[in-house]
C-alpha cells in the first residue's frame, strides 16, 4: 500500500482555556503551544512529557467510582503523573490536522468545558495554524484488520486505503427499546467537516447511567442543563445541537482515541458500538505494525 505523506502543522501562537475536570472536578488550565516535536502532554509538576501513544495509556481510575464502574475516558501517564480525559483534546487536534503541539496542563484532568471539542477547536483556530517543514508518513495497512469486544456485537474494522487521508464512520446502536434510535455518521477527514458536524457534539449519558454515577459520588455539582442527559423522551432540560449528535460524539471520541496510534492513519475505519477500550485497541493494531511512527522531517 502506497503511503501518501501528510503535511506537518502546528500553531502560530499559544491557545489557553480553563475549566473543571469532568470526573475530578478540579480546576485546570490547558495551554496549547507551538512545537516541532509531535504531540505530547506536559504536567507542570511532572518533569517528563507524556507521549500521545498507546503505550502511555494508564488504567488507573480517575475517580474512586470507576473501581466499580467501567472507565469512561482516555487517560495517559508518565512517571506517575496522569493526564486524564484527553480524548476531546486529541480529537480537536487530529480533526484540524495538527501534528505537532505541546499541551500543558496544571492539573491531572483536562477541562471538560461544554462536553464537546468545539471550545478547543475555536481556541486553536484563534491561535492560527502554521505549516512546518517536512512531512509525516502515515500508518497504512496491507490487509483489513478488526478488533472485537470479548462479548456482544461491538467491533471496529479498518480497511486499506489507496487514496490520501482517512475516513472514520461510527454506527451507534443500543438495541431494541433503547433511549436512542440507531444512528450512523461518517467523517471524510477534512478539517471543515470536523468543525461543522463533529466538534460541537457533546458527551452524553442515559438518565439511568447518570443516576448511578451520581449515587457513586460523581457530577455532584452538575445538572442535566449542564450535561446532555438523555431520557426515553429525549434530552432532559436540554436540546440536541446536531442531528445524530450522540453518534457524532462517539465519532469524536474515536478520532481522539485513534491518535494513540502514534501518527496519522491512512485507512477507512468503521466503528460499530465501540467505546474507548476498542478504540484504543484499534490504535494498538496500527502501532504493532509500525514501530517507527514519524518519519524524519524533509526540508
Amino acid at each position: 500500500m502506497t503511503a501518501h505523506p501528510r503535511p506537518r502543522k502546528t500553531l502560530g501562537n499559544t491557545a489557553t482555556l480553563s475549566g473543571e475536570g469532568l470526573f475530578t472536578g478540579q480546576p485546570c488550565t490547558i495551554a496549547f503551544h507551538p512545537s516541532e516535536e509531535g504531540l505530547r502532554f506536559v504536567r507542570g509538576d511532572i518533569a517528563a512529557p507524556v507521549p500521545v501513544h498507546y503505550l502511555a495509556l494508564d488504567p488507573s481510575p480517575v475517580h474512586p467510582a470507576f473501581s466499580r464502574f467501567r472507565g469512561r475516558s482516555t487517560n495517559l501517564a508518565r512517571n506517575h503523573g496522569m493526564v486524564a480525559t484527553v480524548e476531546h483534546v486529541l480529537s480537536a487536534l487530529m480533526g484540524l490536522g495538527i501534528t505537532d503541539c505541546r499541551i500543558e496542563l496544571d492539573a491531572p484532568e483536562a477541562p471538560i468545558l461544554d462536553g464537546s471539542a468545539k471550545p478547543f477547536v475555536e481556541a486553536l483556530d484563534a491561535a492560527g495554524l502554521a505549516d512546518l517543514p517536512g512531512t509525516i508518513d502515515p500508518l497504512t495497512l496491507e490487509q483489513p484488520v478488526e478488533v472485537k469486544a470479548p462479548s456482544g456485537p461491538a467491533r471496529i474494522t479498518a480497511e486499506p486505503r489507496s487514496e490520501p487521508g482517512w475516513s472514520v464512520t461510527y454506527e451507534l446502536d443500543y438495541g431494541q427499546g433503547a433511549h436512542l434510535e440507531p444512528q450512523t455518521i461518517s467523517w471524510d477527514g477534512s478539517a471543515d467537516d470536523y468543525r461543522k458536524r463533529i466538534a460541537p457534539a457533546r458527551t452524553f449519558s442515559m438518565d439511568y447511567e447518570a443516576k448511578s454515577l451520581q449515587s457513586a459520588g460523581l457530577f455532584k455539582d452538575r445538572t442535566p442543563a449542564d450535561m446532555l442527559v438523555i431520557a426515553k423522551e429525549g434530552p432532559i432540560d436540554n436540546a440536541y445541537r446536531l442531528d445524530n449528535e450522540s453518534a457524532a460524539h462517539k465519532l469524536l471520541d474515536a478520532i481522539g482515541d485513534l491518535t494513540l496510534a502514534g501518527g496519522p492513519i491512512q485507512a477507512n475505519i468503521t466503528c460499530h458500538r465501540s467505546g474507548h477500550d476498542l478504540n484504543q485497541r484499534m490504535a494498538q493494531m496500527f502501532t504493532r505494525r509500525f514501530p517507527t511512527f514519524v518519519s524524519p522531517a524533509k526540508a
Side-chain angles (χ1 to χ4, degrees):
M1 182 62 61
T2 302
H4 298 276
R6 305 275 187 90
R8 295 177 65 208
K9 290 185 180 294
T10 188
L11 297 179
N13 296 284
T14 294
T16 303
L17 300 97
S18 296
E20 292 184 352
L22 177 61
F23 301 118
T24 63
Q26 292 187 32
C28 176
T29 295
I30 184 169
F32 299 86
H33 299 284
S35 174
E36 297 186 16
E37 299 179 349
L39 298 177
R40 59 185 61 199
F41 287 92
V42 175
R43 279 267 303 276
D45 56 340
I46 307 295
V50 180
V52 176
H53 191 271
Y54 176 84
L55 295 176
L57 279 169
D58 189 337
S60 304
V62 180
H63 187 280
F66 291 119
S67 61
R68 296 166 47 197
F69 296 96
R70 187 177 181 180
R72 298 172 67 97
S73 63
T74 292
N75 313 314
L76 305 176
R78 170 65 64 87
N79 293 350
H80 309 292
M82 177 184 285
V83 289
T85 318
V86 297
E87 57 269 22
H88 302 172
V89 173
L90 293 176
S91 185
L93 292 164
M94 181 67 82
L96 296 183
I98 296 171
T99 60
D100 297 73
C101 184
R102 181 174 178 267
I103 311 140
E104 186 173 348
L105 297 89
D106 64 359
E109 186 180 21
I112 190 63
L113 304 175
D114 70 351
S116 77
K118 187 171 184 278
F120 297 116
V121 166
E122 291 175 342
L124 294 169
D125 277 337
L129 274 59
D131 294 330
L132 289 172
T135 59
I136 297 179
D137 292 333
L139 312 179
T140 62
L141 296 172
E142 294 299 327
Q143 60 187 14
V145 296
E146 182 178 66
V147 294
K148 293 182 178 181
S151 62
R155 65 186 181 273
I156 304 178
T157 58
E159 297 182 348
R161 178 184 173 106
S162 57
E163 302 88 0
W166 68 325
S167 70
V168 188
T169 295
Y170 193 92
E171 298 170 347
L172 182 148
D173 186 353
Y174 283 100
Q176 188 173 6
H179 288 6
L180 290 169
E181 295 291 328
Q183 305 174 6
T184 297
I185 186 169
S186 296
W187 177 53
D188 63 5
S190 76
D192 283 345
D193 191 41
Y194 183 88
R195 289 182 180 98
K196 294 174 184 176
R197 297 194 307 119
I198 312 300
R202 294 161 294 173
T203 191
F204 66 95
S205 65
M206 304 305 160
D207 53 357
Y208 53 85
E209 294 176 314
K211 289 176 183 176
S212 294
L213 292 169
Q214 279 194 320
S215 68
L218 287 158
F219 315 140
K220 291 181 178 179
D221 298 324
R222 293 182 180 271
T223 70
D226 304 316
M227 305 170 64
L228 188 56
V229 179
I230 301 170
K232 188 68 175 176
E233 299 76 20
I236 301 173
D237 297 333
N238 217 318
Y240 290 120
R241 287 180 174 175
L242 303 165
D243 293 337
N244 296 343
E245 182 172 1
S246 297
H249 187 80
K250 288 287 193 177
L251 175 58
L252 184 159
D253 280 346
I255 293 166
D257 290 339
L258 289 168
T259 309
L260 303 182
I265 292 170
Q266 181 179 310
N268 296 318
I269 298 172
T270 300
C271 306
H272 180 74
R273 300 177 69 165
S274 69
H276 292 300
D277 53 348
L278 278 189
N279 298 339
Q280 294 160 4
R281 283 177 54 198
M282 179 54 75
Q284 183 187 23
M285 295 297 288
F286 283 93
T287 63
R288 280 178 174 169
R289 287 161 171 73
F290 298 90
T292 302
F293 312 111
V294 180
S295 66
K298 302 170 185 176

